[in-house]
Amino acid sequence: MKTFHPIRGKSVYIIFQSKGLGDTLAWFPYVEQFRVENKCNVKVFLPRQEMIPLLKPNYPDIEFLLEEKYIQHFDKDGLCFKLPMSADGIISYKIGCSWDGRQYIPLQQSATDTLGLSFKEKKPNLHFKNYGRPMKEKYVCIGVHSNGPQLKYWNYPKGWDYVVRYLNHKGYKVLDIDLNEDQSKDGYTNKLPKGVIKSQGKSLDERISELIHCEFFIGLGSGLSWLAWAVNKWVIMIHGMTEPWFEFQHKCIHVHNSEVCNGCWHRDETLNLKGDWNVCPDYKGTEREFECSKEIDPPMVFSAIDKIIDDIRDKKRV
């Protein structure tokens, strides 16, 4: 007698509720795991539609839904996802809801918990064009900007300038792959460090090609770090707002200072990363504002750089 399985063979809609590059990369591998384990037809909606060409060729059994067909704007900020009323479409899952408790578990686990899967760190399988090396010299990619508030930046004064000089001293060119050159806002100066080779305004496809040819990547707790992780590059992640356990672990050195105020993302359910640019839940407007990253000094990053250089050197000797 066959065991009844309510989802097997049916169409299941999985809806991502974030446009974040990191969120999309973090959650997507479990869409395929869900499809395979449940033997169902998965239809996925990604608000970041530019990711579809990077994923669709390697996931031919997943249907990617287009915004113009499934999204309706019903007020200034609201979006309505239109589900067809048919017996085939039996169930839908939303990943990334503000009430799903994702602040208290690893980012990727918020997807597995929603979908009822066991959690193990997984990377997406990206499809991209290799444009070749952007330069013949050895180089390191960096990303100094974030789409979030100032809280997500590395706020040590001129910290990136010191890092670029250190990398140059070690014999590396430094390629900055941020989308924009200047993201200064509300009195805070956020410009590219001195001495970098600028590479702004590129497509994600071109970004991936730059990453696969670099030695390693240094960035924040942001989408570019997740993109470097997805293509199996060593990542140095400088962050204070989130705890290291929240981000990915494979081939990553977390530069984090647990001796000062840190991890407010996990303590404050009201923290709004889309509100005030200078939000700092505990010390806004005081000398301790943003101390979670201000107290990460350049030698801490230098140490991480040396560890990765040693690892790369040791692997070449084998």
Side-chain angles (χ1 to χ4, degrees), residues 103-287:
Q103 290 171 258
Y104 312 107
I105 54 177
L107 177 60
Q108 287 197 298
Q109 192 176 337
S110 62
T112 59
D113 281 8
T114 299
L115 297 173
L117 305 171
S118 58
F119 172 61
K120 181 180 179 181
E121 183 174 305
K122 285 189 175 184
K123 297 180 181 182
N125 183 12
L126 300 180
H127 173 83
F128 55 90
K129 178 182 176 181
N130 186 344
Y131 291 89
R133 293 184 64 86
M135 65 189 80
K136 63 180 181 180
E137 300 92 348
K138 292 190 302 182
Y139 69 96
V140 172
C141 285
I142 67 170
V144 307
H145 290 319
S146 168
N147 287 328
Q150 196 68 32
L151 185 63
K152 297 186 77 173
Y153 276 76
W154 182 24
N155 287 290
Y156 187 94
K158 298 184 178 179
W160 285 108
D161 290 341
Y162 291 113
V163 167
V164 172
R165 287 206 296 267
Y166 190 76
L167 287 167
N168 289 162
H169 175 72
K170 291 284 185 177
Y172 298 95
K173 299 288 187 181
V174 182
L175 185 69
D176 186 285
I177 61 172
D178 286 293
L179 179 62
N180 301 310
E181 187 170 333
D182 188 347
Q183 287 194 186
S184 300
K185 189 172 181 179
D186 291 356
Y188 296 94
T189 301
N190 299 312
K191 297 182 179 182
L192 302 190
K194 297 176 181 178
V196 297
I197 299 169
K198 300 175 183 178
S199 178
Q200 276 59 65
K202 300 286 185 67
S203 67
L204 281 177
D205 206 39
E206 293 170 296
R207 286 282 174 249
I208 294 172
S209 187
E210 290 172 332
L211 283 167
I212 61 173
H213 293 290
C214 78
E215 299 298 306
F216 52 93
F217 175 80
I218 309 176
L220 310 172
S222 61
L224 284 177
S225 291
W226 283 85
L227 188 63
W229 160 85
V231 295
N232 204 35
K233 284 294 172 178
W234 266 106
V235 174
I236 296 173
M237 186 186 294
I238 306 168
H239 60 114
M241 184 193 79
T242 58
E243 296 274 7
W245 55 259
F246 181 73
E247 315 285 353
F248 56 85
Q249 305 301 311
H250 181 247
K251 294 184 76 169
C252 182
I253 297 179
H254 296 272
V255 184
H256 181 89
N257 190 342
S258 60
E259 301 301 316
V260 297
C261 179
N262 70 95
C264 58
W265 175 242
H266 314 296
R267 293 185 278 105
D268 189 345
E269 294 183 18
T270 66
L271 182 55
N272 180 10
L273 300 184
K274 302 297 183 182
D276 292 339
W277 184 260
N278 62 342
V279 62
C280 179
D282 297 325
Y283 297 110
K284 180 179 178 179
T286 73
E287 290 184 358

Side-chain angles (χ1 to χ4, degrees), residues 5-12 34-43 87-90:
H5 194 298
I7 296 179
R8 185 167 296 158
K10 299 291 186 179
S11 290
V12 176
F34 180 90
R35 184 194 69 81
V36 172
E37 290 189 9
N38 289 284
K39 297 182 175 61
C40 59
N41 305 314
V42 168
K43 302 183 179 187
D88 178 55
I90 191 170

Side-chain angles (χ1 to χ4, degrees), residues 86-98:
S86 65
D88 178 55
I90 191 170
I91 195 169
S92 65
Y93 294 89
K94 296 178 182 178
I95 301 177
C97 300
S98 60

Side-chain angles (χ1 to χ4, degrees), residues 47 54 66 85 105 159 233 301:
L54 300 179
L66 299 180
M85 296 293 291
I105 54 177
K233 284 294 172 178
V301 183

